Short mmCIF file of all heavy atoms in Angstrom, two decimals:
data_model
loop_
_atom_site.label_atom_id
_atom_site.label_comp_id
_atom_site.label_asym_id
_atom_site.label_seq_id
_atom_site.Cartn_x
_atom_site.Cartn_y
_atom_site.Cartn_z
N MET A 174 -10.15 4.95 3.82
CA MET A 174 -9.74 5.10 2.43
C MET A 174 -9.20 3.77 1.90
O MET A 174 -8.58 3.03 2.64
CB MET A 174 -8.67 6.18 2.33
CG MET A 174 -9.20 7.58 2.59
SD MET A 174 -7.94 8.84 2.52
CE MET A 174 -7.39 8.81 4.20
N ASN A 175 -9.43 3.53 0.62
CA ASN A 175 -9.12 2.21 0.08
C ASN A 175 -7.74 2.10 -0.57
O ASN A 175 -7.38 1.04 -1.05
CB ASN A 175 -10.20 1.77 -0.91
CG ASN A 175 -10.31 2.70 -2.11
OD1 ASN A 175 -9.48 3.57 -2.32
ND2 ASN A 175 -11.33 2.48 -2.91
N GLY A 176 -6.96 3.18 -0.64
CA GLY A 176 -5.60 3.07 -1.15
C GLY A 176 -5.44 3.09 -2.65
O GLY A 176 -4.37 2.79 -3.16
N GLN A 177 -6.50 3.46 -3.38
CA GLN A 177 -6.40 3.51 -4.84
C GLN A 177 -5.96 4.87 -5.36
O GLN A 177 -5.61 4.99 -6.53
CB GLN A 177 -7.74 3.12 -5.48
CG GLN A 177 -8.09 1.67 -5.24
CD GLN A 177 -9.41 1.28 -5.90
OE1 GLN A 177 -10.15 2.12 -6.37
NE2 GLN A 177 -9.68 -0.01 -5.91
N LYS A 178 -5.97 5.90 -4.51
CA LYS A 178 -5.56 7.24 -4.93
C LYS A 178 -4.24 7.60 -4.27
O LYS A 178 -4.08 7.53 -3.06
CB LYS A 178 -6.63 8.26 -4.53
CG LYS A 178 -7.91 8.12 -5.31
CD LYS A 178 -8.83 9.30 -5.07
CE LYS A 178 -10.09 9.15 -5.88
NZ LYS A 178 -11.28 8.98 -5.08
N ARG A 179 -3.28 8.02 -5.10
CA ARG A 179 -1.95 8.36 -4.62
C ARG A 179 -1.99 9.55 -3.65
O ARG A 179 -1.22 9.61 -2.70
CB ARG A 179 -1.06 8.69 -5.82
CG ARG A 179 0.41 8.75 -5.52
CD ARG A 179 1.20 8.91 -6.82
NE ARG A 179 2.61 8.67 -6.59
CZ ARG A 179 3.47 9.62 -6.22
NH1 ARG A 179 3.05 10.84 -6.03
NH2 ARG A 179 4.74 9.31 -6.04
N ALA A 180 -2.94 10.47 -3.87
CA ALA A 180 -3.04 11.67 -3.03
C ALA A 180 -3.40 11.34 -1.58
O ALA A 180 -3.11 12.12 -0.67
CB ALA A 180 -4.08 12.63 -3.62
N ASP A 181 -4.02 10.18 -1.34
CA ASP A 181 -4.43 9.78 0.01
C ASP A 181 -3.27 9.20 0.82
O ASP A 181 -3.41 8.99 2.03
CB ASP A 181 -5.54 8.73 -0.05
CG ASP A 181 -6.82 9.28 -0.66
OD1 ASP A 181 -6.98 10.52 -0.69
OD2 ASP A 181 -7.66 8.47 -1.09
N ILE A 182 -2.15 8.92 0.16
CA ILE A 182 -1.05 8.20 0.81
C ILE A 182 0.18 9.10 0.86
O ILE A 182 0.49 9.78 -0.12
CB ILE A 182 -0.72 6.91 0.02
CG1 ILE A 182 -1.96 6.03 -0.07
CG2 ILE A 182 0.44 6.16 0.63
CD1 ILE A 182 -1.88 4.97 -1.12
N SER A 183 0.85 9.12 2.00
CA SER A 183 2.09 9.88 2.11
C SER A 183 3.02 9.15 3.07
O SER A 183 2.57 8.36 3.90
CB SER A 183 1.80 11.30 2.61
OG SER A 183 1.18 11.25 3.86
N PRO A 184 4.34 9.38 2.94
CA PRO A 184 5.28 8.74 3.87
C PRO A 184 4.92 9.06 5.32
O PRO A 184 4.53 10.19 5.64
CB PRO A 184 6.62 9.36 3.48
CG PRO A 184 6.46 9.71 2.04
CD PRO A 184 5.03 10.16 1.91
N GLY A 185 4.98 8.05 6.17
CA GLY A 185 4.64 8.21 7.58
C GLY A 185 3.22 7.77 7.92
O GLY A 185 2.89 7.62 9.09
N LYS A 186 2.37 7.55 6.90
CA LYS A 186 1.00 7.10 7.17
C LYS A 186 0.98 5.60 7.46
O LYS A 186 1.74 4.84 6.87
CB LYS A 186 0.10 7.37 5.96
CG LYS A 186 -0.31 8.80 5.83
CD LYS A 186 -1.79 8.90 5.56
CE LYS A 186 -2.18 10.36 5.51
NZ LYS A 186 -3.56 10.56 5.24
N GLN A 187 0.07 5.20 8.34
CA GLN A 187 -0.12 3.78 8.64
C GLN A 187 -1.11 3.19 7.64
O GLN A 187 -2.16 3.77 7.39
CB GLN A 187 -0.62 3.60 10.06
CG GLN A 187 -0.69 2.14 10.46
CD GLN A 187 -0.91 1.95 11.95
OE1 GLN A 187 -0.90 2.90 12.72
NE2 GLN A 187 -1.11 0.72 12.34
N VAL A 188 -0.75 2.04 7.07
CA VAL A 188 -1.56 1.40 6.03
C VAL A 188 -1.59 -0.11 6.21
O VAL A 188 -0.75 -0.68 6.91
CB VAL A 188 -1.00 1.73 4.61
CG1 VAL A 188 -1.10 3.20 4.30
CG2 VAL A 188 0.43 1.25 4.45
N ASP A 189 -2.57 -0.73 5.57
CA ASP A 189 -2.60 -2.18 5.38
C ASP A 189 -2.28 -2.44 3.92
O ASP A 189 -2.89 -1.83 3.03
CB ASP A 189 -3.98 -2.77 5.70
CG ASP A 189 -4.26 -2.86 7.18
OD1 ASP A 189 -3.30 -2.83 7.98
OD2 ASP A 189 -5.44 -2.97 7.55
N ILE A 190 -1.31 -3.32 3.66
CA ILE A 190 -0.97 -3.67 2.28
C ILE A 190 -1.14 -5.17 2.07
O ILE A 190 -1.17 -5.94 3.03
CB ILE A 190 0.47 -3.27 1.91
CG1 ILE A 190 1.50 -4.07 2.71
CG2 ILE A 190 0.68 -1.78 2.07
CD1 ILE A 190 2.93 -3.91 2.21
N VAL A 191 -1.27 -5.56 0.80
CA VAL A 191 -1.24 -6.98 0.45
C VAL A 191 0.07 -7.21 -0.30
O VAL A 191 0.39 -6.52 -1.26
CB VAL A 191 -2.48 -7.41 -0.37
CG1 VAL A 191 -2.56 -6.72 -1.69
CG2 VAL A 191 -2.52 -8.92 -0.55
N LEU A 192 0.87 -8.15 0.22
CA LEU A 192 2.14 -8.50 -0.40
C LEU A 192 1.89 -9.36 -1.63
O LEU A 192 0.85 -10.00 -1.75
CB LEU A 192 3.02 -9.26 0.59
CG LEU A 192 3.34 -8.54 1.90
CD1 LEU A 192 4.05 -9.48 2.87
CD2 LEU A 192 4.18 -7.30 1.65
N LYS A 193 2.86 -9.40 -2.55
CA LYS A 193 2.73 -10.20 -3.77
C LYS A 193 2.40 -11.66 -3.43
O LYS A 193 1.51 -12.25 -4.03
CB LYS A 193 4.04 -10.11 -4.57
CG LYS A 193 4.02 -10.80 -5.90
CD LYS A 193 3.29 -9.96 -6.92
CE LYS A 193 3.47 -10.55 -8.32
NZ LYS A 193 2.67 -9.82 -9.29
N LYS A 194 3.10 -12.21 -2.44
CA LYS A 194 2.89 -13.62 -2.08
C LYS A 194 1.52 -13.87 -1.44
O LYS A 194 1.06 -15.00 -1.39
CB LYS A 194 4.00 -14.12 -1.16
CG LYS A 194 4.00 -13.48 0.22
CD LYS A 194 5.15 -14.01 1.07
CE LYS A 194 5.22 -13.38 2.43
NZ LYS A 194 4.18 -13.77 3.35
N ASP A 195 0.87 -12.80 -0.95
CA ASP A 195 -0.43 -12.93 -0.28
C ASP A 195 -1.61 -12.52 -1.17
O ASP A 195 -2.74 -12.47 -0.69
CB ASP A 195 -0.46 -12.06 0.98
CG ASP A 195 0.48 -12.56 2.06
OD1 ASP A 195 0.75 -13.78 2.08
OD2 ASP A 195 0.95 -11.75 2.86
N GLN A 196 -1.36 -12.26 -2.46
CA GLN A 196 -2.44 -11.79 -3.31
C GLN A 196 -3.57 -12.80 -3.44
O GLN A 196 -4.73 -12.42 -3.47
CB GLN A 196 -1.91 -11.41 -4.70
CG GLN A 196 -1.23 -10.05 -4.69
CD GLN A 196 -0.67 -9.67 -6.04
OE1 GLN A 196 -0.51 -10.51 -6.93
NE2 GLN A 196 -0.34 -8.40 -6.20
N ARG A 197 -3.26 -14.09 -3.49
CA ARG A 197 -4.31 -15.10 -3.58
C ARG A 197 -5.10 -15.23 -2.29
O ARG A 197 -6.32 -15.32 -2.31
CB ARG A 197 -3.71 -16.47 -3.94
CG ARG A 197 -3.28 -16.57 -5.38
CD ARG A 197 -2.69 -17.95 -5.65
NE ARG A 197 -2.19 -18.04 -7.01
CZ ARG A 197 -2.89 -18.59 -8.00
NH1 ARG A 197 -4.09 -19.06 -7.80
NH2 ARG A 197 -2.36 -18.66 -9.20
N SER A 198 -4.40 -15.22 -1.16
CA SER A 198 -5.06 -15.41 0.14
C SER A 198 -5.70 -14.12 0.64
O SER A 198 -6.66 -14.16 1.39
CB SER A 198 -4.06 -15.91 1.18
OG SER A 198 -3.08 -14.91 1.45
N GLY A 199 -5.16 -12.97 0.22
CA GLY A 199 -5.70 -11.69 0.68
C GLY A 199 -5.23 -11.27 2.06
O GLY A 199 -5.76 -10.33 2.63
N ASN A 200 -4.20 -11.97 2.61
CA ASN A 200 -3.67 -11.59 3.92
C ASN A 200 -3.10 -10.18 3.86
O ASN A 200 -2.37 -9.85 2.94
CB ASN A 200 -2.55 -12.55 4.35
CG ASN A 200 -3.09 -13.89 4.77
OD1 ASN A 200 -4.28 -14.03 5.05
ND2 ASN A 200 -2.23 -14.88 4.81
N LEU A 201 -3.43 -9.37 4.87
CA LEU A 201 -2.96 -7.99 4.92
C LEU A 201 -1.80 -7.85 5.89
O LEU A 201 -1.73 -8.55 6.90
CB LEU A 201 -4.10 -7.06 5.35
CG LEU A 201 -5.28 -6.97 4.38
CD1 LEU A 201 -6.35 -6.06 4.94
CD2 LEU A 201 -4.84 -6.50 3.01
N THR A 202 -0.89 -6.95 5.58
CA THR A 202 0.26 -6.64 6.41
C THR A 202 0.16 -5.18 6.79
O THR A 202 -0.05 -4.32 5.93
CB THR A 202 1.57 -6.88 5.63
OG1 THR A 202 1.59 -8.23 5.18
CG2 THR A 202 2.78 -6.61 6.48
N ASN A 203 0.31 -4.88 8.08
CA ASN A 203 0.20 -3.50 8.57
C ASN A 203 1.59 -2.90 8.69
O ASN A 203 2.54 -3.58 9.05
CB ASN A 203 -0.52 -3.50 9.92
CG ASN A 203 -0.81 -2.10 10.39
OD1 ASN A 203 0.06 -1.42 10.92
ND2 ASN A 203 -2.03 -1.67 10.17
N GLY A 204 1.71 -1.62 8.36
CA GLY A 204 2.99 -0.94 8.51
C GLY A 204 2.88 0.53 8.21
O GLY A 204 1.80 1.06 7.95
N VAL A 205 4.03 1.19 8.22
CA VAL A 205 4.13 2.63 7.97
C VAL A 205 4.84 2.85 6.64
O VAL A 205 5.88 2.25 6.37
CB VAL A 205 4.88 3.32 9.13
CG1 VAL A 205 5.05 4.81 8.85
CG2 VAL A 205 4.17 3.11 10.45
N VAL A 206 4.27 3.71 5.80
CA VAL A 206 4.80 3.98 4.46
C VAL A 206 6.15 4.68 4.54
O VAL A 206 6.31 5.68 5.25
CB VAL A 206 3.82 4.86 3.65
CG1 VAL A 206 4.41 5.22 2.29
CG2 VAL A 206 2.48 4.15 3.48
N LYS A 207 7.13 4.13 3.80
CA LYS A 207 8.43 4.78 3.65
C LYS A 207 8.51 5.47 2.29
O LYS A 207 8.88 6.63 2.20
CB LYS A 207 9.55 3.76 3.79
CG LYS A 207 10.94 4.36 3.66
CD LYS A 207 12.01 3.29 3.82
CE LYS A 207 13.40 3.89 3.65
NZ LYS A 207 14.42 2.84 3.65
N ASP A 208 8.19 4.73 1.21
CA ASP A 208 8.25 5.26 -0.15
C ASP A 208 6.98 4.89 -0.91
O ASP A 208 6.44 3.80 -0.70
CB ASP A 208 9.43 4.66 -0.93
CG ASP A 208 10.77 4.93 -0.27
OD1 ASP A 208 11.01 6.09 0.07
OD2 ASP A 208 11.54 3.97 -0.10
N ILE A 209 6.56 5.78 -1.82
CA ILE A 209 5.46 5.47 -2.74
C ILE A 209 6.10 5.08 -4.07
O ILE A 209 6.88 5.84 -4.63
CB ILE A 209 4.53 6.69 -2.91
CG1 ILE A 209 3.95 7.09 -1.56
CG2 ILE A 209 3.43 6.38 -3.91
CD1 ILE A 209 3.15 8.38 -1.58
N LEU A 210 5.77 3.89 -4.55
CA LEU A 210 6.43 3.36 -5.76
C LEU A 210 5.60 3.54 -7.02
O LEU A 210 6.14 3.47 -8.12
CB LEU A 210 6.74 1.87 -5.56
CG LEU A 210 7.60 1.56 -4.32
CD1 LEU A 210 7.79 0.06 -4.18
CD2 LEU A 210 8.93 2.27 -4.38
N THR A 211 4.29 3.78 -6.90
CA THR A 211 3.44 4.00 -8.07
C THR A 211 3.48 5.47 -8.45
O THR A 211 3.27 6.34 -7.60
CB THR A 211 1.98 3.59 -7.75
OG1 THR A 211 1.96 2.20 -7.43
CG2 THR A 211 1.07 3.83 -8.95
N ASN A 212 3.75 5.76 -9.72
CA ASN A 212 3.83 7.15 -10.18
C ASN A 212 2.49 7.73 -10.61
O ASN A 212 2.28 8.93 -10.53
CB ASN A 212 4.82 7.27 -11.34
CG ASN A 212 6.25 7.09 -10.88
OD1 ASN A 212 6.61 7.50 -9.79
ND2 ASN A 212 7.06 6.45 -11.70
N SER A 213 1.57 6.87 -11.10
CA SER A 213 0.30 7.38 -11.59
C SER A 213 -0.58 7.86 -10.43
O SER A 213 -0.41 7.41 -9.29
CB SER A 213 -0.43 6.30 -12.40
OG SER A 213 -0.73 5.21 -11.59
N PRO A 214 -1.53 8.77 -10.69
CA PRO A 214 -2.36 9.32 -9.61
C PRO A 214 -3.31 8.31 -8.98
O PRO A 214 -3.76 8.51 -7.85
CB PRO A 214 -3.14 10.45 -10.28
CG PRO A 214 -2.95 10.29 -11.73
CD PRO A 214 -1.76 9.42 -11.97
N SER A 215 -3.62 7.21 -9.70
CA SER A 215 -4.48 6.17 -9.12
C SER A 215 -4.14 4.83 -9.74
O SER A 215 -3.50 4.76 -10.79
CB SER A 215 -5.96 6.50 -9.35
OG SER A 215 -6.24 6.45 -10.73
N HIS A 216 -4.58 3.76 -9.06
CA HIS A 216 -4.37 2.40 -9.57
C HIS A 216 -5.51 1.55 -9.06
O HIS A 216 -5.82 1.58 -7.87
CB HIS A 216 -3.02 1.85 -9.10
CG HIS A 216 -2.62 0.60 -9.80
ND1 HIS A 216 -3.19 -0.63 -9.52
CD2 HIS A 216 -1.73 0.37 -10.80
CE1 HIS A 216 -2.66 -1.55 -10.30
NE2 HIS A 216 -1.76 -0.96 -11.09
N PRO A 217 -6.16 0.76 -9.93
CA PRO A 217 -7.34 -0.01 -9.51
C PRO A 217 -7.06 -1.07 -8.45
O PRO A 217 -7.95 -1.43 -7.69
CB PRO A 217 -7.84 -0.66 -10.81
CG PRO A 217 -6.68 -0.59 -11.75
CD PRO A 217 -5.87 0.61 -11.35
N HIS A 218 -5.82 -1.57 -8.37
CA HIS A 218 -5.49 -2.60 -7.38
C HIS A 218 -4.82 -2.03 -6.13
O HIS A 218 -4.44 -2.78 -5.24
CB HIS A 218 -4.59 -3.67 -8.00
CG HIS A 218 -5.22 -4.37 -9.16
ND1 HIS A 218 -6.37 -5.11 -9.06
CD2 HIS A 218 -4.88 -4.39 -10.47
CE1 HIS A 218 -6.70 -5.57 -10.26
NE2 HIS A 218 -5.81 -5.15 -11.13
N GLY A 219 -4.66 -0.72 -6.09
CA GLY A 219 -4.01 -0.08 -4.94
C GLY A 219 -2.65 0.46 -5.31
O GLY A 219 -1.94 -0.09 -6.16
N ILE A 220 -2.26 1.55 -4.67
CA ILE A 220 -0.96 2.17 -4.90
C ILE A 220 0.13 1.30 -4.29
O ILE A 220 -0.01 0.83 -3.16
CB ILE A 220 -0.93 3.58 -4.27
CG1 ILE A 220 -2.00 4.48 -4.89
CG2 ILE A 220 0.45 4.21 -4.38
CD1 ILE A 220 -1.82 4.76 -6.36
N LYS A 221 1.21 1.07 -5.03
CA LYS A 221 2.31 0.24 -4.53
C LYS A 221 3.23 1.09 -3.66
O LYS A 221 3.62 2.19 -4.05
CB LYS A 221 3.10 -0.37 -5.68
CG LYS A 221 4.09 -1.45 -5.22
CD LYS A 221 4.84 -2.06 -6.36
CE LYS A 221 4.03 -3.14 -7.04
NZ LYS A 221 4.83 -3.90 -8.03
N VAL A 222 3.54 0.57 -2.46
CA VAL A 222 4.39 1.30 -1.52
C VAL A 222 5.44 0.37 -0.92
O VAL A 222 5.30 -0.85 -0.95
CB VAL A 222 3.57 1.92 -0.35
CG1 VAL A 222 2.58 2.94 -0.87
CG2 VAL A 222 2.89 0.87 0.49
N ARG A 223 6.49 0.98 -0.36
CA ARG A 223 7.48 0.26 0.44
C ARG A 223 7.28 0.70 1.87
O ARG A 223 7.22 1.90 2.16
CB ARG A 223 8.90 0.58 -0.02
CG ARG A 223 9.97 -0.13 0.82
CD ARG A 223 11.39 0.20 0.37
NE ARG A 223 11.63 -0.31 -0.98
CZ ARG A 223 11.86 0.46 -2.05
NH1 ARG A 223 11.90 1.76 -1.94
NH2 ARG A 223 12.09 -0.08 -3.23
N LEU A 224 7.17 -0.28 2.78
CA LEU A 224 7.02 0.04 4.20
C LEU A 224 8.39 0.31 4.81
O LEU A 224 9.42 0.00 4.22
CB LEU A 224 6.34 -1.13 4.93
CG LEU A 224 4.95 -1.51 4.45
CD1 LEU A 224 4.41 -2.66 5.28
CD2 LEU A 224 3.99 -0.32 4.51
N GLU A 225 8.39 0.87 6.03
CA GLU A 225 9.66 1.18 6.71
C GLU A 225 10.48 -0.07 6.98
O GLU A 225 11.70 0.01 7.10
CB GLU A 225 9.38 1.94 8.00
CG GLU A 225 8.93 3.38 7.73
CD GLU A 225 8.76 4.21 8.98
OE1 GLU A 225 8.62 3.62 10.08
OE2 GLU A 225 8.74 5.44 8.86
N ASP A 226 9.84 -1.25 7.06
CA ASP A 226 10.59 -2.49 7.29
C ASP A 226 11.06 -3.14 5.98
O ASP A 226 11.62 -4.22 5.98
CB ASP A 226 9.77 -3.48 8.12
CG ASP A 226 8.49 -3.93 7.43
OD1 ASP A 226 8.26 -3.55 6.26
OD2 ASP A 226 7.71 -4.67 8.06
N GLY A 227 10.80 -2.46 4.83
CA GLY A 227 11.30 -2.94 3.55
C GLY A 227 10.33 -3.75 2.72
O GLY A 227 10.60 -4.04 1.56
N GLN A 228 9.19 -4.14 3.27
CA GLN A 228 8.22 -4.93 2.53
C GLN A 228 7.51 -4.05 1.49
O GLN A 228 7.23 -2.88 1.74
CB GLN A 228 7.19 -5.55 3.47
CG GLN A 228 7.81 -6.52 4.46
CD GLN A 228 6.76 -7.19 5.31
OE1 GLN A 228 6.32 -8.28 5.00
NE2 GLN A 228 6.35 -6.52 6.37
N VAL A 229 7.21 -4.66 0.33
CA VAL A 229 6.57 -3.94 -0.77
C VAL A 229 5.23 -4.60 -1.08
O VAL A 229 5.13 -5.82 -1.18
CB VAL A 229 7.47 -3.95 -2.03
CG1 VAL A 229 6.74 -3.34 -3.23
CG2 VAL A 229 8.77 -3.22 -1.76
N GLY A 230 4.20 -3.76 -1.24
CA GLY A 230 2.89 -4.28 -1.60
C GLY A 230 1.94 -3.17 -1.99
O GLY A 230 2.31 -1.99 -2.00
N ARG A 231 0.71 -3.56 -2.30
CA ARG A 231 -0.31 -2.60 -2.73
C ARG A 231 -1.22 -2.25 -1.55
O ARG A 231 -1.68 -3.14 -0.83
CB ARG A 231 -1.12 -3.15 -3.89
CG ARG A 231 -0.26 -3.33 -5.12
CD ARG A 231 -1.06 -3.36 -6.39
NE ARG A 231 -0.22 -3.53 -7.56
CZ ARG A 231 0.31 -2.52 -8.25
NH1 ARG A 231 0.07 -1.29 -7.88
NH2 ARG A 231 1.07 -2.75 -9.28
N VAL A 232 -1.49 -0.96 -1.40
CA VAL A 232 -2.28 -0.47 -0.26
C VAL A 232 -3.73 -0.88 -0.43
O VAL A 232 -4.35 -0.68 -1.47
CB VAL A 232 -2.18 1.07 -0.15
CG1 VAL A 232 -3.07 1.58 0.96
CG2 VAL A 232 -0.74 1.50 0.06
N LYS A 233 -4.30 -1.46 0.64
CA LYS A 233 -5.71 -1.83 0.67
C LYS A 233 -6.49 -0.96 1.63
O LYS A 233 -7.70 -0.79 1.48
CB LYS A 233 -5.87 -3.31 1.07
CG LYS A 233 -5.31 -4.28 0.06
CD LYS A 233 -5.98 -4.10 -1.28
CE LYS A 233 -5.35 -4.97 -2.35
NZ LYS A 233 -5.86 -4.64 -3.69
N LYS A 234 -5.83 -0.38 2.64
CA LYS A 234 -6.51 0.49 3.60
C LYS A 234 -5.52 1.52 4.12
O LYS A 234 -4.38 1.19 4.42
CB LYS A 234 -7.07 -0.34 4.75
CG LYS A 234 -7.85 0.49 5.74
CD LYS A 234 -8.51 -0.34 6.81
CE LYS A 234 -9.31 0.55 7.74
NZ LYS A 234 -9.92 -0.19 8.83
N VAL A 235 -6.00 2.77 4.23
CA VAL A 235 -5.19 3.87 4.78
C VAL A 235 -5.84 4.32 6.08
O VAL A 235 -7.04 4.58 6.11
CB VAL A 235 -5.12 5.06 3.81
CG1 VAL A 235 -4.27 6.18 4.38
CG2 VAL A 235 -4.59 4.63 2.44
N TYR A 236 -5.05 4.40 7.14
CA TYR A 236 -5.56 4.87 8.43
C TYR A 236 -5.34 6.37 8.54
O TYR A 236 -4.37 6.90 8.05
CB TYR A 236 -4.84 4.15 9.59
CG TYR A 236 -5.14 2.67 9.63
CD1 TYR A 236 -4.30 1.76 9.01
CD2 TYR A 236 -6.28 2.21 10.27
CE1 TYR A 236 -4.57 0.40 9.04
CE2 TYR A 236 -6.56 0.85 10.31
CZ TYR A 236 -5.71 -0.04 9.69
OH TYR A 236 -6.01 -1.38 9.71
N GLU A 237 -6.27 7.05 9.21
CA GLU A 237 -6.18 8.50 9.40
C GLU A 237 -5.12 8.86 10.40
O GLU A 237 -4.91 8.24 11.37
CB GLU A 237 -7.54 9.04 9.86
CG GLU A 237 -8.57 9.00 8.76
CD GLU A 237 -8.20 9.80 7.52
OE1 GLU A 237 -7.66 10.92 7.67
OE2 GLU A 237 -8.39 9.31 6.44
#
């Protein structure tokens, strides 16, 4: 899953996100979702989440 639909993401899921500072390079950060920060049901650049380690970014990949 590509992380553009809020319904695909829930706290506790493992995801790859792109941090604000990595948007140009496209470097991905792996972690576990703590909070979902985007309220709308979808977002073209990925749903914004906070990981359990406190990092915030947009989801690029959701693991099953």
